[in-house]
Amino acid sequence: EKVAAALYRQNNSSSRTTLKGRVNIVRLGHPARVMSSILPFCLENKIKTSSDQYELAKDVRNEIKDIQRSLTATGTNTGSNKREKYTQLKNLRKELRTREADAVKEVLKNCNIVFATIAGSADRYLKDDNGFDTVVIDEAAQAVEASCYIPILKGRKLVLAGDHKQLPPTILSTQAAQQGYNVTLFDRMIKTYGDAVVRQLLVQYRMNETIMNWSSSELYHSLLQAHPSISHHLLSDLKNNLDDNHKENKEKEEMDEDKKEYMKHAIVYIDTAGSGMMESTVEESSSNNSNKQSRKKLTAAGGNFSKANEGEAEILLTYIQLLLSLHIS
């Protein structure tokens, strides 16, 4: 959805340096489950704003309401008249379904980019559509292979985007995992074809390079690079963290030097050795009774325990409160 939102903003900006012409975007899915920033191109909104069939369906819906009101009016419905109105209702409802389906098809036909979840790509309106030039599955390293075939069958070219070095898909069934269900299509393609099908992105735009260095050396053969815009950024570089009230209050604006020191480092190490902060190990519980058996098996295999350290959690909370006191949000 963040990709969709960024593409939508770019598409509607006055400067289109990265898009070749204007693209028409639609997002399938219930509007209540999507980010507010992409509501303008959710299917329901696109139908209302860009489909001629929507207005025709609206007229049919009004006719249905008029007939339903007349049926509840007293003294106006004889036997034959009543039957005739029910026949009209039946025909109008059929027409309404047809026009609503045509409205959806009209929007989808005019869109050249369709966003959906993997399961959402099984939408009935895409049932017969296998003519997409390219199917892109984002976070493919967290998607089980079987689910990927839902969108794959709708296109002629496939792009799997993801990182198999990070979180795998969640598989609750040990039996399914043992039979290979936990191996993703992303993993299998890399193991089968190797570098012939892989294009690694080397520049990251999220973290200071000091934070990046460990994962780069341990997981990515020290190939990752931090973009210059963020390679050395620190909390101390942030501007306008103080609201107007704070700016007017000189006492709040003058930060304690010890506190400000925490903002000058990308990584802060806090030594807890000898502090008596011992780890505790707890067995995860599940409110889902249907999964109890599989969870017991995971526990027996040593894979269903969580570690916790309340003392370290309290230190972390103190550090977060310190940052908040400096108006970092």
Side-chain angles (χ1 to χ4, degrees), residues 8-67:
Y8 175 71
R9 288 194 300 270
Q10 179 66 37
N11 188 45
N12 287 276
S13 67
S14 56
S15 173
R16 300 203 182 96
T17 57
T18 59
L19 289 178
K20 295 181 179 179
R22 192 175 186 83
V23 295
N24 203 349
I25 310 165
V26 65
R27 202 297 191 183
L28 301 183
H30 197 288
R33 302 191 187 109
V34 302
M35 295 168 55
S36 58
S37 57
I38 61 173
L39 285 175
F41 63 95
C42 279
L43 180 61
E44 287 75 6
N45 188 68
K46 296 281 284 188
I47 289 173
K48 292 177 182 178
T49 58
S50 59
S51 173
D52 295 332
Q53 290 293 334
Y54 173 76
E55 292 300 324
L56 295 173
K58 188 176 179 181
D59 292 338
V60 174
R61 201 175 289 111
N62 289 333
E63 285 186 59
I64 290 174
K65 289 179 180 178
D66 290 339
I67 294 175

Side-chain angles (χ1 to χ4, degrees), residues 21-254:
R22 192 175 186 83
V23 295
N24 203 349
I25 310 165
V26 65
R27 202 297 191 183
L28 301 183
H30 197 288
R33 302 191 187 109
V34 302
M35 295 168 55
S36 58
S37 57
I38 61 173
L39 285 175
F41 63 95
C42 279
L43 180 61
E44 287 75 6
N45 188 68
K46 296 281 284 188
I47 289 173
K48 292 177 182 178
T49 58
S50 59
S51 173
D52 295 332
Q53 290 293 334
Y54 173 76
E55 292 300 324
L56 295 173
K58 188 176 179 181
D59 292 338
V60 174
R61 201 175 289 111
N62 289 333
E63 285 186 59
I64 290 174
K65 289 179 180 178
D66 290 339
I67 294 175
Q68 287 175 329
R69 278 193 292 266
S70 69
L71 284 169
T72 58
T74 57
T76 60
N77 296 301
T78 62
S80 60
N81 187 31
K82 196 172 185 178
R83 283 193 297 272
E84 182 181 345
K85 288 182 178 179
Y86 275 118
T87 300
Q88 287 179 323
L89 272 180
K90 180 180 178 181
N91 293 333
L92 285 172
R93 283 169 177 158
K94 182 178 179 181
E95 181 183 353
L96 178 61
R97 288 192 296 270
T98 300
R99 293 200 180 279
E100 287 177 338
D102 288 343
V104 173
K105 292 176 182 177
E106 181 183 354
V107 169
L108 292 176
K109 181 180 179 181
N110 292 326
C111 287
N112 44 22
I113 299 180
V114 177
F115 285 90
T117 62
I118 287 180
S121 64
D123 190 289
R124 66 184 186 276
Y125 293 114
L126 294 178
K127 181 179 179 181
D128 301 321
D129 197 335
N130 58 358
F132 286 98
D133 295 320
T134 305
V135 170
V136 180
I137 301 179
D138 194 19
E139 299 295 356
Q142 295 183 37
V144 295
E145 179 170 347
S147 65
C148 289
Y149 290 114
I150 301 172
I152 284 175
L153 297 175
K154 299 182 183 300
R156 293 183 283 273
K157 180 180 179 180
L158 173 65
V159 176
L160 299 176
D163 186 350
H164 62 302
K165 302 288 188 179
Q166 297 187 26
L167 290 174
T170 300
I171 309 295
L172 294 180
S173 169
T174 52
Q175 184 178 1
Q178 290 168 357
Q179 294 179 2
Y181 194 65
N182 60 340
V183 178
T184 65
L185 180 63
F186 196 97
D187 276 319
R188 198 159 62 81
M189 291 297 98
I190 289 177
K191 290 175 183 176
T192 303
Y193 300 105
D195 292 340
V197 297
V198 175
R199 298 295 181 271
Q200 183 177 353
L201 303 181
L202 300 179
V203 180
Q204 59 87 17
Y205 298 80
R206 290 184 175 181
M207 66 192 86
N208 182 293
E209 67 178 5
T210 305
I211 301 173
M212 175 201 73
N213 284 338
W214 180 86
S215 58
S216 179
S217 62
E218 292 296 318
L219 301 175
Y220 306 106
H221 308 290
S222 298
L223 294 175
L224 286 187
Q225 304 168 32
H227 189 268
S229 63
I230 52 87
S231 60
H232 296 94
H233 71 169
L234 301 166
L235 292 177
S236 57
D237 297 327
L238 296 177
K239 300 181 185 299
N240 301 322
N241 286 314
L242 307 179
D243 60 28
D244 292 337
N245 292 331
H246 291 138
K247 288 179 181 179
E248 293 173 1
N249 191 328
K250 292 184 179 180
E251 291 182 1
K252 289 184 179 180
E253 193 172 339
E254 294 174 358

